[in-house]
Amino acid sequence: MLKGIMAQNTFEMARKAVEAVIANAKEGEMVPTFYITQKDLKEPVVQPFLKFYYNEVYATIDGLYYILNFNDQTAELIAPTYGHYEGDIVIPDYVEQDGTKLAVTTLGEGAFSNTTLTSLQLPKETLKRIKGTAFYRTYGLKTLDIPETVTTLGEGATRECPELTHIHIPASVKHIGVGAFQGCANLTSITVDENNMSYDSRQGCNAIIDKASESMIQGCSTTRFPSNVYTIGDKAFYGTEGLESISIPVGVTAIGEQAFAFCPR
């Protein structure tokens, strides 16, 4: 393991030393090396919070953890190495490292898992993906303001957020993973932007309908079935604690796996 490099010659020599460690690592192994910058070598001090993991750089910037990709100049916010985020969180549209400006495009898997937040501000201009379980059991999250730039919500993206009461799907969203909002016991309001090409919440049904399949993929305790829905998706009402009864139209021909699992009433 390489615990640090003190600059003695040139930047390129230090870079080659780091690459040598990576080359000898086993496939998939996390390499505990430091990413060396020109500034480090001039001081010379190696920044202790940067690690090189194959072609990606792990960095801590303003208290938030990221994977930085200098090839496409993007950043993915990830969970802290130890512990959890808490309190008021503001995620910027861009971060800067070594003079390079990178767009924050992704919230990583489990980024806010088992955290307690008092407020959350997501990037409004750059965010494209919210990966699966990004908000798994996130406490204090009452509404999720999904930016108009987001195209993908991963499987179980906001799974089991006990205080989440309202979600709005903007026009930009093209893919919603199975059970994206499963187990959100107090979810009572669901709306979809009328300009969304992939999903809708027709007739004020308080649910998410996949237009291509005419399938209800997410419901809540106040959902009302519109007449032109033909299937109920996997985990559509999973863990909906307030659901006491629901009237399913005769036109529904299929009900997905665990569609009504863990509905205690």
Side-chain angles (χ1 to χ4, degrees), residues 3-248:
K3 295 184 178 179
I5 299 176
M6 298 303 292
Q8 296 179 355
N9 296 309
T10 66
F11 176 81
E12 286 304 317
M13 291 181 66
R15 172 78 69 182
K16 289 179 180 179
V18 172
E19 291 176 347
V21 174
I22 295 172
N24 292 323
K26 296 179 181 179
E27 183 177 357
E29 178 183 354
M30 181 72 80
V31 182
T33 61
F34 297 127
Y35 181 73
I36 309 304
T37 69
Q38 293 280 8
K39 181 180 178 181
D40 295 331
L41 296 176
K42 289 176 182 178
E43 294 189 2
V45 176
V46 178
Q47 296 181 23
F49 55 84
L50 289 178
K51 292 187 294 187
F52 204 95
Y53 179 42
Y54 293 92
N55 293 323
E56 297 174 331
V57 176
Y58 286 62
T60 306
I61 302 173
D62 296 330
L64 300 177
Y65 290 72
Y66 299 92
I67 299 175
L68 307 179
N69 188 319
F70 285 91
N71 292 328
D72 58 12
Q73 298 184 355
T74 61
E76 175 179 340
L77 185 132
I78 60 174
T81 305
Y82 302 102
H84 309 281
Y85 295 118
E86 61 181 15
D88 300 316
I89 302 295
V90 177
I91 306 171
D93 285 287
Y94 296 91
V95 293
E96 187 170 325
Q97 188 68 41
D98 301 338
T100 301
K101 188 177 181 180
L102 304 102
V104 179
T105 61
T106 306
L107 297 187
E109 293 182 2
F112 293 98
S113 176
N114 292 295
T115 63
T116 300
L117 304 179
T118 52
S119 67
L120 173 68
Q121 181 177 314
L122 299 176
K124 295 181 180 180
E125 300 176 1
T126 60
L127 190 64
K128 296 181 179 179
R129 292 173 294 276
I130 299 177
K131 288 187 175 181
T133 67
F135 292 99
Y136 175 55
R137 291 184 180 175
T138 302
Y139 299 91
L141 189 67
K142 296 181 180 179
T143 61
L144 183 61
D145 185 14
I146 302 172
E148 295 288 342
T149 55
V150 171
T151 60
T152 302
L153 297 172
E155 185 172 341
T158 61
R159 178 181 174 184
E160 296 179 31
C161 293
E163 295 161 270
L164 186 65
T165 60
H166 172 72
I167 54 174
H168 175 72
I169 306 300
S172 56
V173 173
K174 299 178 181 179
H175 174 75
I176 300 176
V178 174
F181 305 97
Q182 76 176 66
C184 295
N186 292 301
L187 184 62
T188 57
S189 174
I190 301 174
T191 56
V192 180
D193 190 289
E194 62 181 10
N195 294 315
N196 191 296
M197 300 298 292
S198 302
Y199 304 97
D200 66 40
S201 186
R202 64 193 63 170
Q203 301 169 33
C205 63
N206 254 354
I208 301 174
I209 311 297
D210 183 319
K211 290 183 177 181
S213 62
E214 301 290 358
S215 174
M216 182 175 288
I217 64 168
Q218 181 65 55
C220 65
S221 61
T222 58
T223 291
R224 297 175 298 277
F225 270 85
S227 57
N228 54 346
V229 168
Y230 305 110
T231 62
I232 301 174
D234 295 347
K235 299 182 179 180
F237 290 88
Y238 185 107
T240 305
E241 292 189 3
L243 187 66
E244 296 184 359
S245 65
I246 193 163
S247 178
I248 300 175

